[in-house]
Amino acid sequence: MTATIKDVAKKANVSVATVSLVIHNHQRISSETKRKVRKTIKDLNYHPVRTARGLVSQKSGNIGFIVTEDHFSRSEPFYTQIFLGTEFQARESEYYVLLTTVNSDFNSNFKMPRFILERNVEGVILAGKVSQSLIENIKKLEIPLVFVDYYPPQGNYPVVMIDNFAGGLKATQHLIDCHHNRIAFIAGDISHPSISERFQGYKMALDRNQIPFDPNLVVIDEPYPAREFGYNSAKKLLQRNISVTAIFACNDAMAIGVLQFLKEKNIKVPTDISLIGFDDVEANLSMDPPLTTVRVPKVEMGIEAIKLMTEILCQRQTRSRKILMPVELIVRCSTCEHQN
Amino acid sequence: MTATIKDVAKKANVSVATVSLVIHNHQRISSETKRKVRKTIKDLNYHPVRTARGLVSQKSGNIGFIVTEDHFSRSEPFYTQIFLGTEFQARESEYYVLLTTVNSDFNSNFKMPRFILERNVEGVILAGKVSQSLIENIKKLEIPLVFVDYYPPQGNYPVVMIDNFAGGLKATQHLIDCHHNRIAFIAGDISHPSISERFQGYKMALDRNQIPFDPNLVVIDEPYPAREFGYNSAKKLLQRNISVTAIFACNDAMAIGVLQFLKEKNIKVPTDISLIGFDDVEANLSMDPPLTTVRVPKVEMGIEAIKLMTEILCQRQTRSRKILMPVELIVRCSTCEHQN
DNA sequence: GTTAACCAGTTAAACGCTTAACTGATAATT
DNA sequence: AATTATCAGTTAAGCGTTTAACTGGTTAAC
């Protein structure tokens, strides 16, 4: 069996308490004794047992990560990437991340995530939209919360958000810089804050460049920002028979659908129409042409969430900070200068 | 504060031990008492604290997942998918997965993963090739091991492997079924067992169909099965100026590179040359044309690894089982009948 | 009628650690 | 010289469970 603190104490001829104090580098212990005890610790290859520590200190060393089932389906890589970010950063911070999913319409009849009931996490990261009931139930237990990519209507929590507005602005400005002035905007689920913020950025960019906003260039009546709805939107747009030289799709999935439609109609990207997406998913590089897009730093969002959480857990920081993640324009081959 | 077992005992007028025995549904307790205690547990919304349980039972409720840093880089989704599979299944099995990465040339001078030193995991899953030193150091601590997608040269461990041979066979047979008989094989890092098994499958398929093996159709001298080496391989192959009607790339990454080269040379896929990959990565669907490939059930491999581990931890199973994951031919648009 | 089994619990130790409170020695202050 | 501080540890309680060993009562076996 591996050594316990008792073994160290016995071998070093000190009390168990002394060993513990040495481990925590307590000033009460002389440097001589520290040296002696540390040597013994090394000799016995002693390491404090997590559960024992956790029991007495009421600290599990774990952080919970909660996301709804539908947001974490196997085909949806967005929150997966955020989760991986938390894993990366957690290792830096000497924490472990425990993952669980909840039903998106969680209410008091559901049972709480096991790691909360068992008091196995010191704090919880909530990624994406979760039910108000879940939030309130966790709050009741006084477990620190950090939100990622969602912010509950009421309350004042630390949160990590995407700068969607700036992204919409950048994407549109890029097209404008390429001398486009007939720029379409295509979206699904415009009621979602992230999507509508991108739309606001689009409109702001037009405004700043004195390009009139034309509702005919906007297709935002699709239910969900997925590939097939991108396809449909492009169809609707082109059926209007108006001049379009560039399309800003609210995310890459829709952009892929748009591209598919354009190809079928033998419309060349980017020479006939420039196309820009949003998110920067893996698949973009394999596309033909590779998609110009706005990169959302998904992994970094997870990293920031853990940083925020550890600050809170260390009491270094109690006020609720809000972090706005910068987005980045990634120019690939689906956009080009507009030829007059 | 939340209720402890003491609160339950007091309220139900029994001893703490009785409450514990009720929780474990011990036969010694009368059903009357059980009912009473269970009601109290419900009333107080009591849940045993993980760390306390862990301390006395020496069971943390966690399973460790170790992968090398280079295998888990942010751009490499293969092991990420396997890891996600373990997360999915762990929730079913009431475990949590703790992730860590190690340096690929781990030796005794490195310090062991923290969750091992702190005895915070009951078993460890090793994904991909890891150093022999790490394996031996974990074995010394008598922590149950399960391997995924790698098997150490010596020893007899439970393992989850891909049926690469069958995959190579299926891919090649598919091309043969399409009446191809000039089928090239392209690979990087042929010394890797998985790659060479796919190669064996290729050769076996040819053999079974009485198609002579032609070394001129094989390009396996690239160092790594990545996109750019796929590109290079295709270049080398076509420079040989021999008849080629189909290409089997050892993985999708290389296939993407091959496709890129063929496009540049204005060779049409699949009409001029059929192309098949291996792995079924996300990007395939966005390709033009979408890639025919052999699907490797990555998530399922993680699931199986956890199943294996939980069997071992429950002692239901001690002998070292080996699981060969079946692969599946996914026919998309990059392969078609060969026109004579 | 004595002994043995069984039943339905209880008692108490243990898991491995942390930390408040204590101790006994020496040094500093008045 | 008496009191107080400081130092460098030790003692012991406690964190919330589990479980082996015990108990005292009833029933069965011989």
Side-chain angles (χ1 to χ4, degrees):
Chain A
M1 230 26 224
T2 51
T4 73
I5 198 171
K6 277 187 201 163
D7 302 323
V8 176
K10 199 179 295 173
K11 181 125 187 269
N13 253 309
V14 293
S15 72
V16 162
T18 302
V19 178
S20 180
L21 292 173
V22 170
I23 290 167
H24 293 89
N25 201 20
H26 197 288
Q27 49 168 12
R28 200 193 301 159
I29 307 300
S30 71
S31 47
E32 173 116 17
T33 306
K34 279 184 183 171
R35 208 175 1 256
K36 177 176 69 176
V37 171
R38 285 190 181 127
K39 176 160 179 9
T40 314
I41 287 177
K42 201 152 224 170
D43 288 351
L44 295 181
N45 192 27
Y46 165 72
H47 292 270
V49 167
R50 177 84 258 167
T51 45
R53 270 198 160 164
L55 182 56
V56 58
S57 68
Q58 309 279 35
K59 300 217 155 92
S60 62
N62 301 324
I63 293 172
F65 186 97
I66 299 181
V67 62
T68 59
E69 283 148 19
D70 41 347
H71 275 153
F72 203 66
S73 69
R74 300 173 190 199
S75 54
E76 169 71 77
F78 187 82
Y79 291 104
T80 303
Q81 291 296 108
I82 293 178
F83 171 66
L84 286 180
T86 66
E87 287 282 1
F88 288 127
Q89 185 58 30
R91 269 172 296 147
E92 304 295 314
S93 316
E94 306 264 279
Y95 278 99
Y96 289 109
V97 179
L98 308 188
L99 170 74
T100 203
T101 58
V102 295
N103 193 288
S104 48
D105 31 56
F106 180 97
N107 63 51
S108 303
N109 298 323
F110 285 75
K111 68 165 186 284
M112 293 279 279
R114 188 164 57 89
F115 56 52
I116 292 182
L117 296 175
E118 296 180 338
R119 312 241 114 212
N120 201 9
V121 291
E122 297 176 35
V124 168
I125 293 173
L126 289 165
K129 187 175 178 186
V130 294
S131 86
Q132 194 58 31
S133 162
L134 177 66
I135 297 172
E136 275 153 21
N137 274 290
I138 299 179
K139 216 173 89 179
K140 239 179 264 165
L141 297 170
E142 298 184 350
I143 296 174
L145 278 178
V146 167
F147 285 84
V148 184
D149 194 43
Y150 172 73
Y151 197 69
Q154 62 255 43
N156 186 33
Y157 301 96
V159 64
V160 181
M161 295 290 278
I162 301 169
D163 196 347
N164 287 298
F165 179 77
L169 202 59
K170 278 186 189 182
T172 314
Q173 188 63 52
H174 166 64
L175 296 172
I176 294 171
D177 290 346
C178 292
H179 304 106
H180 293 276
N181 58 2
R182 297 292 296 164
I183 302 169
F185 180 80
I186 281 178
D189 191 16
I190 192 71
S191 72
H192 192 294
S194 296
I195 308 290
S196 91
E197 283 163 30
R198 292 171 195 188
F199 189 33
Q200 298 307 319
Y202 162 79
K203 290 197 280 195
M204 175 60 86
L206 295 182
D207 197 54
R208 282 192 189 164
N209 293 272
Q210 282 99 42
I211 298 173
F213 171 72
D214 181 355
N216 282 317
L217 286 169
V218 174
V219 185
I220 54 175
D221 52 354
E222 296 289 337
Y224 200 74
R227 181 184 308 217
E228 57 267 40
F229 300 118
Y231 184 95
N232 295 347
S233 300
K235 197 173 191 171
K236 285 183 194 167
L237 178 70
L238 296 191
Q239 274 169 351
R240 292 179 188 166
N241 254 321
I242 52 175
S243 154
V244 177
T245 69
I247 298 176
F248 172 18
C250 79
N251 71 356
D252 290 341
M254 288 196 94
I256 290 171
V258 169
L259 181 62
Q260 191 187 337
F261 179 79
L262 296 180
K263 275 189 180 172
E264 285 180 15
K265 293 295 165 193
N266 220 9
I267 298 170
K268 297 272 175 271
V269 174
T271 43
D272 297 339
I273 289 186
S274 281
L275 176 64
I276 189 167
F278 205 114
D279 279 356
D280 196 32
V281 300
E282 274 283 321
N284 290 359
L285 273 171
S286 313
M287 287 172 66
D288 181 27
L291 190 68
T292 294
T293 192
V294 177
R295 171 173 295 163
V296 172
K298 300 170 274 292
V299 169
E300 286 74 10
M301 290 177 75
I303 292 176
E304 289 302 322
I306 291 284
K307 282 188 183 166
L308 217 47
M309 179 59 83
T310 51
E311 277 180 13
I312 292 167
L313 294 180
C314 297
Q315 323 278 25
R316 269 186 289 134
Q317 167 81 38
T318 48
R319 67 200 166 83
S320 55
R321 274 176 56 190
K322 304 195 188 323
I323 292 176
L324 209 54
M325 299 298 291
V327 295
E328 186 190 357
L329 180 71
I330 306 287
V331 179
R332 296 209 182 89
C333 312
S334 68
T335 53
C336 72
E337 292 278 323
H338 172 51
Q339 317 296 334
N340 289 302
Chain B
M1 229 29 222
T2 52
T4 74
I5 198 170
K6 278 186 198 164
D7 302 323
V8 176
K10 200 178 294 174
K11 181 124 188 269
N13 253 310
V14 293
S15 71
V16 162
T18 302
V19 178
S20 180
L21 293 172
V22 170
I23 290 167
H24 293 88
N25 200 20
H26 197 287
Q27 48 166 13
R28 200 194 300 159
I29 309 298
S30 71
S31 48
E32 174 115 18
T33 306
K34 278 184 183 171
R35 209 175 0 255
K36 180 177 67 176
V37 171
R38 284 187 182 130
K39 176 160 178 10
T40 314
I41 287 177
K42 201 153 224 171
D43 288 351
L44 294 182
N45 192 27
Y46 165 73
H47 290 270
V49 168
R50 176 85 258 165
T51 44
R53 269 199 161 164
L55 180 56
V56 57
S57 68
Q58 309 279 37
K59 301 217 155 92
S60 62
N62 301 324
I63 293 171
F65 186 98
I66 300 180
V67 61
T68 59
E69 282 147 19
D70 42 348
H71 275 154
F72 203 66
S73 69
R74 301 174 189 197
S75 54
E76 170 72 75
F78 186 83
Y79 290 103
T80 303
Q81 292 295 108
I82 293 178
F83 172 64
L84 286 179
T86 65
E87 286 282 1
F88 289 127
Q89 184 59 29
R91 269 173 296 147
E92 305 293 313
S93 317
E94 306 264 279
Y95 278 97
Y96 290 108
V97 179
L98 308 187
L99 170 75
T100 203
T101 57
V102 296
N103 193 288
S104 48
D105 32 56
F106 180 98
N107 61 52
S108 303
N109 297 325
F110 285 75
K111 68 167 186 286
M112 292 280 278
R114 189 164 57 88
F115 56 52
I116 292 182
L117 295 175
E118 295 180 340
R119 310 243 114 208
N120 201 9
V121 292
E122 296 176 36
V124 167
I125 294 173
L126 290 165
K129 187 174 177 185
V130 295
S131 87
Q132 194 59 31
S133 161
L134 178 66
I135 297 171
E136 275 154 20
N137 275 289
I138 298 180
K139 216 173 90 181
K140 241 181 261 165
L141 297 169
E142 296 184 352
I143 296 175
L145 277 178
V146 168
F147 285 84
V148 183
D149 194 42
Y150 172 73
Y151 198 70
Q154 61 255 44
N156 186 33
Y157 301 96
V159 65
V160 180
M161 293 293 277
I162 301 168
D163 196 348
N164 287 298
F165 179 77
L169 202 57
K170 279 186 188 183
T172 314
Q173 188 63 51
H174 165 64
L175 296 171
I176 294 171
D177 290 345
C178 293
H179 303 106
H180 293 277
N181 59 3
R182 297 292 297 165
I183 302 170
F185 181 81
I186 280 178
D189 191 14
I190 193 70
S191 72
H192 192 295
S194 296
I195 308 289
S196 90
E197 282 162 30
R198 293 170 195 188
F199 189 33
Q200 298 308 319
Y202 162 80
K203 289 196 278 194
M204 175 60 85
L206 295 182
D207 197 53
R208 283 193 189 163
N209 293 272
Q210 282 100 41
I211 298 173
F213 171 74
D214 180 356
N216 282 317
L217 287 168
V218 174
V219 185
I220 52 174
D221 53 354
E222 296 290 335
Y224 200 73
R227 180 183 309 217
E228 58 267 40
F229 300 118
Y231 184 95
N232 294 347
S233 299
K235 196 173 194 171
K236 285 184 196 165
L237 178 68
L238 296 191
Q239 274 170 350
R240 291 179 189 167
N241 254 320
I242 53 174
S243 153
V244 177
T245 70
I247 298 177
F248 172 19
C250 79
N251 72 355
D252 290 343
M254 288 195 94
I256 291 171
V258 169
L259 181 61
Q260 191 187 336
F261 180 79
L262 296 180
K263 276 188 180 172
E264 284 179 16
K265 293 294 165 195
N266 220 10
I267 298 170
K268 297 272 175 269
V269 174
T271 41
D272 296 339
I273 289 186
S274 282
L275 177 64
I276 190 167
F278 205 113
D279 279 355
D280 196 32
V281 300
E282 274 284 320
N284 290 359
L285 274 171
S286 313
M287 287 172 68
D288 182 27
L291 190 68
T292 294
T293 191
V294 177
R295 172 172 295 161
V296 172
K298 300 171 275 291
V299 169
E300 286 74 11
M301 289 177 77
I303 292 176
E304 289 302 322
I306 292 285
K307 282 188 183 166
L308 216 48
M309 180 59 84
T310 52
E311 277 180 12
I312 292 167
L313 295 180
C314 297
Q315 324 276 25
R316 269 187 288 133
Q317 169 79 41
T318 46
R319 65 201 168 83
S320 57
R321 275 174 55 188
K322 305 197 187 323
I323 292 177
L324 209 53
M325 298 299 290
V327 295
E328 185 190 358
L329 181 71
I330 306 287
V331 179
R332 296 208 182 90
C333 312
S334 68
T335 52
C336 72
E337 292 279 323
H338 173 50
Q339 316 296 336
N340 287 305

